[in-house]
Amino acid sequence: MAIEIKELHIKVTVSEASESDSNAFQKFNPMKINELKSEIVRDCTQKVLEKIKERQER
């Protein structure tokens, strides 16, 4: 069964970083970044599956 995503809402807040904030971003190593990406994908997948389940229950 194929899944078609018709809408995707992404909310982002962008602000200028001070010097101390920019140092915080440099502390992430590549492994941590990959973990964060995996977590985002897992969360998105879970939400898509929940929506599919809701539609099937109707």
Side-chain angles (χ1 to χ4, degrees):
M1 177 177 154
I3 298 174
E4 180 180 351
I5 299 174
K6 294 182 180 181
E7 281 186 47
L8 179 61
H9 296 274
I10 300 173
K11 183 177 180 181
V12 179
T13 303
V14 178
S15 62
E16 290 190 31
S18 66
E19 188 174 320
S20 62
D21 289 341
S22 64
N23 289 338
F25 290 112
Q26 294 175 355
K27 293 179 184 176
F28 286 118
N29 61 22
M31 287 294 286
K32 183 66 175 174
I33 291 172
N34 286 336
E35 288 176 25
L36 292 172
K37 287 179 182 179
S38 296
E39 185 178 339
I40 290 170
V41 169
R42 191 170 39 251
D43 288 346
C44 291
T45 304
Q46 181 181 0
K47 289 183 181 193
V48 167
L49 292 174
E50 287 174 5
K51 291 292 184 183
I52 291 171
K53 185 177 178 182
E54 285 176 11
R55 285 189 173 200
Q56 288 177 348
E57 289 176 354
R58 290 182 186 179

